[in-house]
């Protein structure tokens, strides 16, 4: 709503508030510039492709293993029906296979999640990066900049200021992405 924005603007009379906001924006800009460079490196890295290949190989190996355990489990029933094993053995071995099946499925799920995170990449066109990077040499606040970058500003009794920036979720995604891919 524009009225809220206008109201925010009136309260930014104080130079202290303006200085604090400018400082905070500069910090975000600094993050954007740094993350941009890191992400460019990550995305260009051959390891990234090889890690994706490796995860796919691990997934398919686990899926083969899962299929094998399921076949054993089915064969077990036949063994018991044919009188080759006791009912007690059938129960114990069946429970053991069940456990192995659950474990294999959990591993497959987590490998797939890791692969999705890797593939669900972030590029330099990310809204956070684009929005903040273009103010690399910002030296004063304008109404337009505030509207573009700042969600809201709160001023507390004691004079503390809290600034909520736009694209915070995108920044969070970037940080996670860099964390996951940093050790590649």
């Amino acid at each position: 709503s524009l009225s809220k924005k206008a109201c925010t603007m009136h309260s930014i009379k104080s130079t202290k508030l303006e200085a604090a906001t400018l400082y905070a924006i500069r910090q975000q800009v600094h993050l954007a510039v740094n993350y941009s460079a890191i992400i460019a490196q990550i995305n260009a890295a051959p390891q990234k492709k090889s890690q994706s290949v490796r995860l796919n190989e691990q997934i398919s190996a686990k899926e083969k293993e899962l299929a094998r355990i399921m076949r054993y489990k089915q064969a077990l029933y036949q063994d018991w029906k044919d009188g080759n094993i006791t009912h007690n053995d059938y129960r114990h071995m069946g429970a053991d296979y069940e456990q192995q099946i659950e474990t294999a499925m959990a591993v497959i799920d987590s490998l797939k999640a890791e692969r999705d995170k890797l593939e669900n990449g972030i590029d330099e066109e990310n809204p956070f990066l684009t929005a903040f990077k273009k103010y690399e040499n910002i030296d004063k606040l304008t109404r337009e900049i505030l509207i573009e970058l700042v969600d809201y500003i709160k001023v507390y009794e004691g004079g503390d200021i809290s600034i909520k920036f736009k694209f915070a979720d995108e920044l969070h995604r970037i940080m996670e992405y860099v964390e996951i891919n940093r050790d590649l």
Side-chain angles (χ1 to χ4, degrees):
S1 65
L2 263 180
S3 62
K4 192 183 93 186
K5 291 276 183 288
C7 160
T8 306
M9 284 309 298
H10 291 308
S11 64
I12 296 198
K13 292 279 195 284
S14 96
T15 49
K16 183 194 166 198
L17 183 56
E18 206 163 315
T21 307
L22 186 58
Y23 176 73
I25 288 175
R26 281 196 179 129
Q27 283 184 309
Q28 296 286 104
V29 167
H30 181 68
L31 277 180
V33 170
N34 282 354
Y35 275 130
S36 215
I38 295 171
I39 284 166
Q41 272 179 326
I42 289 172
N43 291 346
Q47 300 94 301
K48 177 148 196 254
K49 296 189 179 37
S50 73
Q51 194 192 20
S52 190
V53 168
R54 200 195 61 191
L55 283 169
N56 281 328
E57 284 168 356
Q58 287 177 319
I59 290 165
S60 96
K62 265 295 163 200
E63 283 172 340
K64 285 196 184 90
E65 184 186 319
L66 178 62
R68 198 175 65 238
I69 300 167
M70 286 173 148
R71 280 199 308 277
Y72 289 156
K73 194 176 172 239
Q74 283 159 346
L76 189 64
Y77 179 75
Q78 208 43 57
D79 280 344
W80 171 52
K81 278 291 168 221
D82 296 344
N84 299 334
I85 57 171
T86 67
H87 185 254
N88 204 20
D89 282 347
Y90 169 67
R91 269 210 354 261
H92 282 299
M93 289 164 82
D96 187 41
Y97 284 141
E98 210 36 65
Q99 187 58 57
Q100 288 182 42
I101 288 169
E102 270 178 41
T103 306
M105 284 168 111
V107 171
I108 290 168
D109 282 349
S110 90
L111 286 170
K112 282 183 172 169
E114 200 182 329
R115 180 186 62 188
D116 291 347
K117 272 188 165 168
L118 185 75
E119 286 173 358
N120 184 5
I122 285 177
D123 58 27
E124 289 133 284
E125 302 305 301
N126 176 282
F128 169 83
L129 297 176
T130 323
F132 283 92
K133 254 174 69 177
K134 66 173 178 232
Y135 296 110
E136 203 169 339
N137 301 307
I138 182 176
D139 54 7
K140 67 181 195 340
L141 285 181
T142 66
R143 195 194 148 118
E144 288 69 42
I145 292 174
L146 280 175
I147 289 173
E148 186 181 355
L149 302 181
V150 176
D151 201 2
Y152 60 77
I153 298 174
K154 276 186 183 155
V155 181
Y156 298 97
E157 289 295 324
D160 282 347
I161 297 160
S162 126
I163 301 171
K164 168 100 165 55
F165 285 107
K166 293 184 174 167
F167 313 111
D169 293 349
E170 286 300 333
L171 173 58
H172 187 70
R173 272 189 62 215
I174 289 170
M175 290 162 91
E176 275 193 343
Y177 180 72
V178 167
E179 200 47 52
I180 291 163
N181 291 285
R182 180 176 275 145
D183 45 7
L184 286 195

